[in-house]
Amino acid sequence: MAVLLEEIVRSLELWLKIVKKPQPFVDPDLDPVLLVPGIAGSILKAVDDKGNEEQVWVRILGADHEFREKLWSKFDASTGETVSLDPNIKIVVPEDRYGLYAIDCLDPNLLLERECVCYFHDMIVEMLKWGFQEGKTLFGFGYDFRQSNRLEETLKRFGAKLKSIHDASGGKKINIITHSMGGLLVKCFMCLHTHIFEKYVKSWIAIAAPFQGAPGFITTSLLNGMSFVNGWQQNLFISKWSMQQLLIECPSIYELMACPSFDWKTTPLLEIWKGGTDADGQSRIMLESYGGAEIINILKQALSGNRVVYNGVEVVAPFNLDILKWANETHRLLSRAKVPGRVKFYNIYGINNETPHSVCYGSEQAPVADLQQILSIQAKYVCVDGDGTVPTESAKADGLNAIARVGVPGDHRGIICDRHVFRILKHWLKADRDPYYNPMNDYVILPTAFEMEKYHEEGLEVTSLKEEWELISDDKSEPADKKPLVSSISVSQVGKDQSSQAQAHGEIVIYPQKEGKQHVELRAVSVSN
């Protein structure tokens, strides 16, 4: 069990005298932090012309019906805004808890399986432990993720949010933490309102941002829709088809397509096995590959007959060229972005996950005869390294002057709950007085390796953990005994019914100090039935 491994790590920290006493609940010296989610990461409510309010994202009961009724929309090329098909509906984001409510658990009423709809929840809980305080040093910014990342109405709200945080914190500058598409929104604001950004912002930490797009994921989302949750919960949630019809009219999705001016190491492709006949009337099957603008032509043809029925009226919903034009302008804007000189920029990106890059439809045994068939075909992927959604190449290519770029093994949504990421954030936010810095012994704990693996063996669940640290101090004296110190820690847990058991064992090796550095290794394994 992972909880037992956490106990072993905590035991090691206590043994090293890193943790001396709990931190105060509120640290008045911390600078304020603003959390900005990615696509689908904000609670949305529908308000009708009578003022009645109803949550439409996220919800479980009646989710698909209310989603289609309230969130299906149409793009207005004259304003750049996508508006609900129901003219009497306005979509709003709740501002409770200083904006944190909307980006915490996306369905607060859900009692079971809440983890499938939690967003920044774990990070918020962790930061409160560090001494941050809601409304004083911790805030959230939710937004209508259907809209363009450069929609002026959204950016105006964001600017007002920065000012209100600056005022609430007594004039302190703000650290912004974004996840996924939230990074594009902040980058757009930084481009279009540079003076406001520089006035209020101290640092910006982007996590898993699709700076150059998420080609494989977005191509299949436009053609086949996407699932927000996995497993059996999909049956209680939004259908992929309903989601697809929303995305076709969302500028934000088009802004996540592969940036047309980016020079990919491996060009993202759309491949189709096609069947037909040659000039001699002989049947033939060929794999055709399309890249760049050719992919747009395939999307146009495949979606040319797409339509939905809304309140008894048929609505045509092809691939939207007006939105594409708008998105291309957004890409050009983002390519010119620069971080103001007094603002620090950091980039955390996901690695070690198979990530869709090129997409293939059909097969040699089952070729595609009509492009509109693609809408009902399961795509196959050619993958690259990334977080499962955003390729590492895209997330690293921020085009900005960065203080640091760090790759972390993790999937796209899980990375904002990752313990290693928390350690990095704690250090960058200067909330790491303890455990990373011990003023009594004057040393810094620098994490250098973190690996965790889970697997099943003979009916047992096995979790292995490997962590390494460097203890860095000003003491350069060499120890008399130069042999490594080896010790072990064991913990166990028995279920209430006595039938379930879990055990964990860890071995710690502390190497002799050399030139002010001391290496510490932890190897631990937990086994549960």
Side-chain angles (χ1 to χ4, degrees):
M1 281 186 169
V3 65
L4 298 184
L5 295 181
E6 289 285 349
E7 289 184 25
I8 286 181
V9 173
R10 179 58 63 183
S11 298
L12 174 60
E13 291 175 342
L14 289 169
W15 188 29
L16 292 173
K17 297 181 181 179
I18 301 171
V19 179
K20 301 180 297 301
K21 59 181 180 180
Q23 282 204 22
F25 182 69
V26 176
D27 185 342
D29 295 328
L30 292 173
D31 292 319
V33 170
L34 174 62
L35 304 178
V36 183
I39 194 164
S42 305
I43 289 176
L44 300 181
K45 293 188 175 183
V47 181
D48 63 21
D49 52 359
K50 297 180 181 178
N52 298 315
E53 187 177 271
E54 182 179 18
Q55 182 164 320
V56 290
W57 182 268
V58 172
R59 60 182 290 162
I60 297 298
L61 297 177
D64 199 66
H65 177 268
E66 294 303 312
F67 181 88
R68 286 178 281 157
E69 288 291 312
K70 309 294 196 314
L71 284 182
W72 271 3
S73 49
K74 198 72 176 173
F75 179 71
D76 184 345
S78 64
T79 63
E81 184 179 11
T82 188
V83 294
S84 297
L85 292 179
D86 185 341
N88 298 318
I89 289 295
K90 180 181 180 182
I91 300 300
V92 299
V93 180
E95 292 290 343
D96 312 58
R97 289 175 48 206
Y98 311 97
L100 292 168
Y101 173 85
I103 63 173
D104 188 339
C105 181
L106 302 187
D107 189 356
N109 298 318
L110 187 64
L111 298 179
L112 299 175
E113 301 291 340
R114 283 187 59 168
E115 65 271 12
C116 71
V117 293
C118 282
Y119 203 94
F120 271 123
H121 178 76
D122 287 7
M123 186 178 292
I124 293 170
V125 170
E126 191 71 16
M127 293 181 73
L128 292 176
K129 293 178 183 177
W130 301 345
F132 286 92
Q133 182 183 15
E134 293 186 10
K136 294 292 185 181
T137 51
L138 188 58
F139 304 82
F141 181 78
Y143 56 96
D144 184 351
F145 49 80
R146 301 175 303 168
Q147 307 295 344
S148 166
N149 288 291
R150 63 182 176 94
L151 185 70
E152 190 54 35
E153 180 181 340
T154 304
L155 299 186
K156 183 178 179 180
R157 283 187 56 239
F158 189 76
K161 188 76 176 184
L162 293 179
K163 184 181 185 304
S164 67
I165 295 172
H166 183 262
D167 295 343
S169 62
K172 291 183 177 181
K173 284 198 169 186
I174 303 157
N175 298 300
I176 300 174
I177 299 176
T178 63
H179 176 244
S180 190
M181 191 181 76
L184 301 189
L185 187 151
V186 168
K187 197 175 183 183
C188 283
F189 184 88
M190 187 175 69
C191 287
L192 295 171
H193 301 281
T194 306
H195 64 290
I196 300 177
F197 192 83
E198 188 170 22
K199 179 179 179 180
Y200 294 125
V201 177
K202 178 180 182 179
S203 71
W204 167 27
I205 302 171
I207 303 176
F211 285 113
Q212 304 301 332
F217 182 73
I218 295 303
T219 297
T220 52
S221 294
L222 287 169
L223 291 170
N224 310 112
M226 73 164 75
S227 295
F228 184 69
V229 298
N230 298 316
W232 67 268
Q233 292 95 337
Q234 294 184 54
N235 300 321
L236 303 174
F237 209 57
I238 312 299
S239 71
K240 292 185 72 173
W241 179 81
S242 294
M243 181 65 79
Q244 178 195 10
Q245 304 312 313
L246 175 81
L247 301 181
I248 288 172
E249 290 293 317
C250 284
S252 57
I253 282 291
Y254 288 63
E255 290 168 349
L256 295 176
M257 296 174 70
C259 181
S261 62
F262 184 61
D263 184 19
W264 296 90
K265 292 180 180 178
T266 303
T267 303
L269 301 173
L270 173 56
E271 299 185 323
I272 304 173
W273 284 96
K274 282 189 175 181
T277 56
D278 57 22
D280 298 326
Q282 299 294 318
S283 62
R284 62 182 181 88
I285 298 173
M286 294 182 61
L287 178 63
E288 298 185 356
S289 298
Y290 308 91
E294 293 177 319
I295 296 179
I296 302 301
N297 291 328
I298 298 298
L299 291 170
K300 286 166 54 180
Q301 294 179 61
L303 292 166
S304 60
N306 187 59
R307 57 198 69 231
V308 299
V309 176
Y310 184 82
N311 286 341
V313 178
E314 187 175 74
V315 180
V316 178
F319 183 76
N320 196 313
L321 295 179
D322 286 331
I323 298 182
L324 180 65
K325 181 179 178 182
W326 178 278
N328 286 338
E329 183 56 39
T330 301
H331 287 142
R332 283 190 286 271
L333 172 72
L334 293 173
S335 68
R336 301 192 298 266
K338 291 184 179 180
V339 179
R342 289 184 288 179
V343 178
K344 295 180 179 180
F345 171 70
Y346 304 85
N347 185 348
I348 298 175
Y349 54 90
I351 59 174
N352 294 0
N353 282 270
E354 292 289 302
T355 303
H357 193 58
S358 292
V359 184
C360 182
Y361 287 95
S363 66
E364 195 170 3
Q365 294 72 34
V368 175
D370 183 340
L371 286 178
Q372 294 187 23
Q373 288 180 316
I374 290 175
L375 304 182
S376 58
I377 295 177
Q378 181 71 36
K380 297 177 181 178
Y381 298 110
V382 175
C383 293
V384 295
D385 189 35
D387 61 22
T389 299
V390 180
T392 295
E393 183 181 4
S394 172
K396 287 178 66 176
D398 48 65
L400 303 172
N401 183 21
I403 301 297
R405 295 185 183 88
V406 181
V408 175
D411 65 76
H412 188 67
R413 288 183 63 199
I415 198 169
I416 56 173
C417 309
D418 184 86
R419 191 162 149 264
H420 190 196
V421 170
F422 289 162
R423 288 186 172 185
I424 296 170
L425 293 178
K426 193 173 186 182
H427 180 68
W428 287 346
L429 297 172
K430 300 188 184 305
D432 60 354
R433 299 171 183 83
D434 190 20
Y436 297 105
Y437 181 71
N438 186 323
M440 183 175 294
N441 296 309
D442 196 27
Y443 60 73
V444 173
I445 306 300
L446 178 65
T448 58
F450 177 83
E451 296 178 9
M452 181 177 283
E453 180 182 5
K454 292 184 180 181
Y455 57 92
H456 289 82
E457 184 176 288
E458 298 181 355
L460 299 175
E461 181 180 295
V462 182
T463 304
S464 63
L465 172 71
K466 170 186 174 183
E467 287 208 57
E468 297 180 10
W469 298 272
E470 292 284 356
L471 279 66
I472 305 172
S473 71
D474 291 333
D475 182 8
K476 300 298 191 295
S477 61
E478 298 294 324
D481 185 0
K482 294 193 175 183
K483 293 182 180 180
L485 174 63
V486 181
S487 188
S488 61
I489 302 174
S490 295
V491 292
S492 61
Q493 187 179 75
V494 179
K496 292 182 179 179
D497 58 2
Q498 304 294 313
S499 62
S500 61
Q501 298 185 10
Q503 295 182 336
H505 177 80
E507 183 178 83
I508 301 101
V509 181
I510 303 179
Y511 291 88
Q513 181 174 287
K514 184 178 181 180
E515 297 181 351
K517 294 183 180 180
Q518 193 170 22
H519 191 68
V520 181
E521 294 181 358
L522 168 65
R523 305 289 185 276
V525 176
S526 73
V527 180
S528 62
N529 58 11

